[in-house]
Amino acid sequence: WLADHTIAGTVLLPGTAVLELAIVAAQHLGLAAVRELTLEQPISLSREQVVSLQLKAAGAGPDGARKLELYSRVQEGPWLRHASAVLARASAAQATLAELRSWPPAGAQAEDLAGFYGRLSEHGMSYGPAFQGLCELWRSAERVYGRVLAPEAVRGSADQYALQPALLDAALHTLLSGAVLAPGEVLLPFAWNGVELYAPGACELRVALEVTRAAGEDQDGGSVSVWIADGAGEPVA
């Protein structure tokens, strides 16, 4: 399914897969949150080369947090760092959104997704079937909402992940529905903050996104707050 994440003609390990690695590393170390994660350079994949990954965690700080680094190497080449993160304890309360308990969200208006993935492909974001999980889109004055169903290629393995990366990636496509992109421009997540997983293995998601800083306001692009629930409206992340 990773081959379905092709950006500008190159298969890239999605940022959501890097986040998955960080979440699982946190769980392995007795922690529960990814306080921050920054992707420094992408990991490109091909069928001809073996790419090895390595996660390195530092010792715990005074608050129990640990720094994490992700490296890769091709064949027997040098190790290159691709991402750095801080893993931490969970916050005191779940960051839930009550409006996701009913569907569609009250007061939101449906938007047509016909041709959506074709339009993204024209901008170099060529998402194959495994990443085409966004099936409903709703918009209110404050937020945009999406419903995501695991495509057949990943449906049977969703419960093997904290949060299946193709499914989470499709949830973020909700944001692309209203984006005005220049020719050849792509929008990909490269930094995460305050990520907490409440329930693993979901194969259906309800997602709400709220732009907190629009793209173009600074050189780092925009930022968005994300709430995720399962198909019954129970909190996921």
Side-chain angles (χ1 to χ4, degrees), residues 72-178:
S72 85
R73 69 177 179 182
V74 177
Q75 311 294 44
E76 298 301 320
W79 289 100
L80 302 175
R81 193 173 83 170
H82 292 270
S84 57
V86 177
L87 312 179
R89 299 189 178 106
S91 59
Q94 292 184 353
T96 60
L97 202 62
E99 60 211 66
L100 289 178
R101 294 191 180 277
S102 61
W103 196 262
Q109 300 296 315
E111 293 199 2
D112 188 5
L113 283 172
F116 173 68
Y117 283 105
R119 293 192 296 273
L120 292 185
S121 182
E122 294 173 358
H123 285 273
M125 293 176 280
S126 301
Y127 296 111
F131 283 79
Q132 294 186 19
L134 183 62
C135 60
E136 290 184 31
L137 185 67
W138 299 79
R139 191 180 300 274
S140 70
E142 297 82 20
R143 299 187 178 106
V144 58
Y145 304 89
R147 179 170 174 259
V148 180
L149 292 176
E152 184 177 355
V154 297
R155 188 178 305 138
S157 62
D159 61 354
Q160 299 174 22
Y161 295 85
L163 188 51
Q164 216 291 334
L167 203 61
L168 178 55
D169 202 89
L172 298 180
H173 298 170
T174 305
L175 182 66
L176 295 174
S177 63

Side-chain angles (χ1 to χ4, degrees), residues 13 16-26 43 53 55 68 70 87:
L13 186 72
T16 52
V18 178
L19 181 61
E20 169 77 9
L21 291 171
I23 291 172
V24 173
I43 298 177
L53 301 181
L55 289 168
L68 184 77
L70 170 65
L87 312 179

Side-chain angles (χ1 to χ4, degrees), residues 144-221:
V144 58
Y145 304 89
R147 179 170 174 259
V148 180
L149 292 176
E152 184 177 355
V154 297
R155 188 178 305 138
S157 62
D159 61 354
Q160 299 174 22
Y161 295 85
L163 188 51
Q164 216 291 334
L167 203 61
L168 178 55
D169 202 89
L172 298 180
H173 298 170
T174 305
L175 182 66
L176 295 174
S177 63
V180 178
L181 302 175
E185 181 184 9
V186 299
L187 288 178
L188 298 174
F190 76 94
W192 305 79
N193 295 278
V195 180
E196 293 193 35
L197 180 75
Y198 309 131
C203 62
E204 178 180 348
L205 302 178
R206 298 175 181 179
V207 58
L209 295 93
E210 180 179 317
V211 174
T212 53
R213 189 184 72 237
E217 290 186 11
D218 59 37
Q219 63 180 0
D220 292 330

Side-chain angles (χ1 to χ4, degrees), residues 28-75:
H28 181 73
L29 295 169
L31 300 169
V34 179
R35 181 183 295 167
E36 57 187 68
L37 169 64
T38 301
L39 306 179
E40 298 161 0
Q41 56 180 323
I43 298 177
S44 59
L45 305 173
S46 74
R47 298 188 185 278
E48 291 75 34
Q49 295 178 318
V50 175
V51 178
S52 300
L53 301 181
Q54 182 183 86
L55 289 168
K56 297 179 69 175
D63 61 352
R66 292 174 180 260
K67 293 183 178 179
L68 184 77
E69 296 175 314
L70 170 65
Y71 294 83
S72 85
R73 69 177 179 182
V74 177
Q75 311 294 44

